[in-house]
Amino acid sequence: MKSRKLRDRIFIITMVAPALILLLAFVVIPLFIGAFTSLFQTTSMTGGGTFIGLKNYVFALQDEVFWKSIKNTLYYAVFITIAKNALGLGLALLLAKKMRGLTLFRVAVFIPVTFSFIVTGVLWSWIYSPVFGILNEFMNTVGLGGFIQEWLSDPAVAMTSICVVDVWKWTGFHMVIYMAGLQKISPDLYESAAIDGAGAWQKFKSITVPQMNATIVLNVLIAFTGGFVQNYDLVKVMTDGGPFNSTEVALTYIVRNLLKFMNVGKANAMTIILVLIVSVFGFMQLKIMTKEDDDE
Amino acid sequence: MNRLSEGKTKKRLFLCFKYLVLILMLIITVYPVLWMIFGAFKDDYEFYNNIWGMASEPRIENFINAWNRADLGQKYLNSIIITVLFLILLLPIASCAAYVIARMPKSKFRCKEIIYLLLLVGIVIPRGVLAIPIYQVIVALGLANTRISLVLVYVAQFLSFSIFLMRGYYASLPKGLEDAARIDGCGWFKSFWYVMTPLTKPGLLTVAIFGGLNVWNEYFLSSILIRSQELQTIPLGLAIFVDDHNVYYPELFAALTIATVPVVILYIIAQKKFIQGLTAGAVKG
């Protein structure tokens, strides 16, 4: 009996060990190494340097560009979260009823989801291009020529231009999720509300939103946490943080500190600050995902 | 009678509006993709002067030149090697962990909750945020600038989500099935491997599509971990090709097309599985 117990235990350990080791090595330990390195002034990737306590954090927080990059990151995350979810939910509601061509449409709007951010970014750099980009051409044709901007080289609009690309890539994704969520709501609910004389807005407010609560929250969190980290690729290929740091996001600035300024300590201090911000939302996401589990 | 027909016109107008939105969205999403493909076939003159349409004389040599100049063959090979190794490691590792979390009774598996929470740590810290210290770990392990370093990091980054998803699939299987297997003399491992895991195929497919596509398209981590040209993946190679100021633009568009079209074709062939695979994390039940 005892050996059976031991065998079970060995079985459990061998089953979870590979996953635990990998997560420790490439998520948990990096977190500690990041926190540790952030206390040193160093240009070396492998340790060493002078211990300077929390000074790297002071340097980071006194660095205007870092603040700017955090602000841009938040702007990016908030912008794409609102736009993707409003568009995704709006389209899903509009197209909830069966209609001809819907399947084709669903397949088509999902194509950009399969693109890499690099391809997406390069493609859109050309769409925005003042020389032969189709956006300006299009605006001229339809008489909106007056609204033409220097999409990527005007510091006032460049960040928004990049956000729009991210929204373009992901709206189909959110729409499909919302469509699936809507399909799960029982039509009886709407029917009885219609009998009670509820209008479209009332139905949306008192049936759709509460029924889709978990889906909406999860979609918002996925978009939001994604907004903190996915922006690197797009910014890198479209503007590389310019003009005048107007599109610098946290990750591009952290990498710049590492590879260009060789300031490993400060790059790590900024990483830890970013982790602290993002993990709050990541934790919320985890809570919601596992709470649904318990309900099952 | 009058009111009835009024309602009908209203309905028809609404349908028209819906189709208008549908077609507009279709153009916004699909036209840029077509534009990329059109551009890839043009010559210099048409590239600047025939902006909207197809090339009058398609130039196939753009593709050949792009393929050679950006060394896309090597990049494809690297991306394939990395994605395949990633899946070979991720699927069994995630399945094993998910299985014991889902099926082992608590009496046999103490601190199950704590271990499960630990396994989900990757959901709290989004992929990529820790790139800098991860690079330090890779350097310390002597794995800098290797394919295997990327594979290991990717697997770790996707483990939490995969375990979470697979746990759901294992947990939903009936208990009687496993009991029957155990009575027939199957040990834990045998019942895991031969009885339970084949039934989680949809889950495995979801993990494979979600993880595979993400890894195939990944740029950030590879740009930090990979230094030498012969190890570059497709996104990495493209980003560098773009930075080359002497690049001939139709060739650049050809390179973008070569990088995207195979995945798009794969997606169109298996679109149902793709959509399900990529959205499964957010739609439950």
Side-chain angles (χ1 to χ4, degrees), chain B residues 7-270:
Chain B
K8 236 182 179 172
T9 356
K10 235 182 174 176
K11 239 185 192 159
R12 206 163 278 165
L13 268 174
F14 186 55
L15 193 69
C16 279
F17 173 69
K18 288 209 288 192
Y19 273 110
L20 201 74
V21 174
L22 206 108
I23 289 166
L24 196 75
M25 276 299 293
L26 209 59
I27 293 171
I28 294 174
T29 36
V30 176
Y31 185 72
V33 182
L34 289 178
W35 184 67
M36 171 182 85
I37 299 170
F38 292 164
F41 285 103
K42 289 175 185 168
D43 62 18
D44 226 6
Y45 177 80
E46 272 201 287
F47 198 69
Y48 290 100
N49 294 295
N50 167 19
I51 293 181
W52 294 96
M54 273 193 260
S56 49
E57 276 172 66
R59 281 168 53 97
I60 310 288
E61 57 269 42
N62 287 347
F63 288 88
I64 298 161
N65 292 342
W67 180 273
N68 292 332
R69 205 160 306 174
D71 197 13
L72 286 174
Q74 181 67 46
K75 268 137 216 168
Y76 253 97
L77 187 68
N78 290 332
S79 279
I80 291 170
I81 292 174
I82 287 170
T83 309
V84 168
L85 280 178
F86 161 79
L87 290 175
I88 289 177
L89 284 177
L90 176 72
L91 293 174
I93 292 177
S95 299
C96 287
Y99 172 77
V100 287
I101 297 288
R103 307 298 299 200
M104 272 288 172
K106 228 167 152 189
S107 56
K108 291 205 165 77
F109 188 177
R110 269 178 293 155
C111 29
K112 188 159 104 171
E113 270 95 15
I114 296 169
I115 293 201
Y116 185 40
L117 271 183
L118 240 163
L119 289 170
L120 296 183
V121 67
I123 292 172
V124 180
I125 303 170
R127 292 191 291 277
V129 177
L130 287 171
I132 309 296
I134 285 175
Y135 182 34
Q136 287 172 262
V137 171
I138 292 292
V139 171
L141 290 173
L143 291 173
N145 199 27
T146 57
R147 288 194 197 96
I148 195 69
S149 72
L150 262 188
V151 173
L152 291 175
V153 172
Y154 287 155
V155 172
Q157 304 261 301
F158 280 91
L159 261 177
S160 295
F161 174 75
S162 309
I163 289 171
F164 167 76
L165 209 80
M166 289 307 293
R167 194 213 73 102
Y169 279 94
Y170 281 116
S172 69
L173 297 175
K175 194 172 181 306
L177 202 68
E178 196 165 38
D179 290 344
R182 307 269 297 151
I183 288 163
D184 283 351
C186 279
W188 280 110
F189 184 77
K190 268 193 175 162
S191 91
F192 156 70
W193 192 252
Y194 293 108
V195 181
M196 307 300 270
T197 302
L199 295 170
T200 62
K201 249 189 210 150
L204 288 170
L205 202 65
T206 293
V207 171
I209 289 172
F210 181 81
L213 186 67
N214 270 288
V215 163
W216 183 263
N217 285 337
E218 207 281 335
Y219 169 74
F220 181 34
L221 281 164
S222 59
S223 76
I224 290 175
L225 296 179
I226 296 294
R227 290 272 155 257
S228 52
Q229 212 174 348
E230 65 274 11
L231 295 179
Q232 283 170 0
T233 55
I234 297 170
L236 200 50
L238 275 182
I240 289 164
F241 190 53
V242 170
D243 266 347
D244 179 358
H245 293 289
N246 301 318
V247 76
Y248 180 61
Y249 295 128
E251 272 175 26
L252 174 62
F253 274 51
L256 295 181
T257 306
I258 296 171
T260 1
V261 165
V263 180
V264 172
I265 290 174
L266 206 66
Y267 158 68
I268 288 172
I269 292 171

Side-chain angles (χ1 to χ4, degrees), chain A residues 16-289:
Chain A
V16 274
L20 273 181
I21 290 170
L22 278 169
L23 279 166
L24 280 176
F26 298 111
V27 180
V28 179
I29 290 175
L31 189 64
F32 284 105
I33 288 193
F36 182 73
T37 319
S38 73
L39 305 175
F40 289 82
Q41 177 157 45
T42 174
T43 55
S44 148
M45 294 300 291
T46 45
T50 357
F51 180 81
I52 54 167
L54 294 174
K55 270 200 183 131
N56 277 322
Y57 290 88
V58 177
F59 293 149
L61 296 174
Q62 282 172 346
D63 182 342
E64 268 174 46
V65 182
F66 181 59
W67 278 106
K68 173 118 203 166
S69 75
I70 293 280
K71 230 175 72 193
N72 282 338
T73 306
L74 281 172
Y75 175 79
Y76 187 100
V78 171
F79 185 103
I80 63 161
T81 304
I82 293 174
K84 284 176 191 178
N85 284 285
L87 278 170
L89 183 56
L91 285 168
L93 284 169
L94 189 70
L95 307 173
K97 287 217 185 84
K98 280 207 172 76
M99 55 194 278
R100 223 179 263 222
L102 198 59
T103 318
L104 178 80
F105 175 71
R106 250 175 38 148
V107 173
V109 293
F110 217 78
I111 290 177
V113 178
T114 66
F115 276 34
S116 70
F117 270 112
I118 297 303
V119 169
T120 314
V122 175
L123 183 61
W124 275 83
S125 300
W126 289 117
I127 289 175
Y128 284 136
S129 154
V131 188
F132 66 102
I134 47 175
L135 183 61
N136 286 357
E137 276 288 318
F138 173 75
M139 291 181 76
N140 271 325
T141 321
V142 297
L144 291 170
F147 292 98
I148 284 178
Q149 308 275 335
E150 305 236 351
W151 302 110
L152 293 177
S153 45
D154 180 347
V157 291
M159 195 73 243
T160 309
S161 300
I162 296 179
C163 292
V164 167
V165 179
D166 196 318
V167 175
W168 176 80
K169 177 164 151 57
W170 287 105
T171 295
F173 171 82
H174 290 279
M175 186 196 79
V176 169
I177 295 174
Y178 279 126
M179 278 176 143
L182 283 175
Q183 264 164 16
K184 263 186 264 154
I185 303 176
S186 155
D188 298 352
L189 287 172
Y190 289 109
E191 268 164 38
S192 55
I195 292 167
D196 292 344
W201 169 247
Q202 245 167 346
K203 279 191 230 166
F204 174 73
K205 209 178 64 180
S206 48
I207 300 172
T208 313
V209 173
Q211 288 287 317
M212 296 245 292
N213 201 6
T215 313
I216 294 172
V217 175
L218 210 56
N219 266 299
V220 165
L221 284 172
I222 287 172
F224 198 72
T225 49
F228 278 87
V229 280
Q230 289 177 346
N231 47 26
Y232 180 87
D233 299 9
L234 276 184
V235 169
K236 179 81 190 158
V237 298
M238 292 183 78
T239 58
D240 199 12
F244 311 113
N245 301 322
S246 63
T247 59
E248 192 81 271
V249 288
L251 283 179
T252 52
Y253 192 55
I254 289 172
V255 171
R256 211 179 305 285
N257 269 276
L258 179 85
L259 297 182
K260 203 164 162 203
F261 311 144
M262 295 298 289
N263 202 337
V264 182
K266 190 175 158 199
N268 273 296
M270 295 191 292
T271 296
I272 296 299
I273 293 173
L274 188 67
V275 168
L276 288 177
I277 300 172
V278 190
S279 59
V280 174
F281 302 101
F283 193 71
M284 278 159 65
Q285 194 175 325
L286 177 68
K287 264 263 148 112
I288 291 161
M289 284 164 80

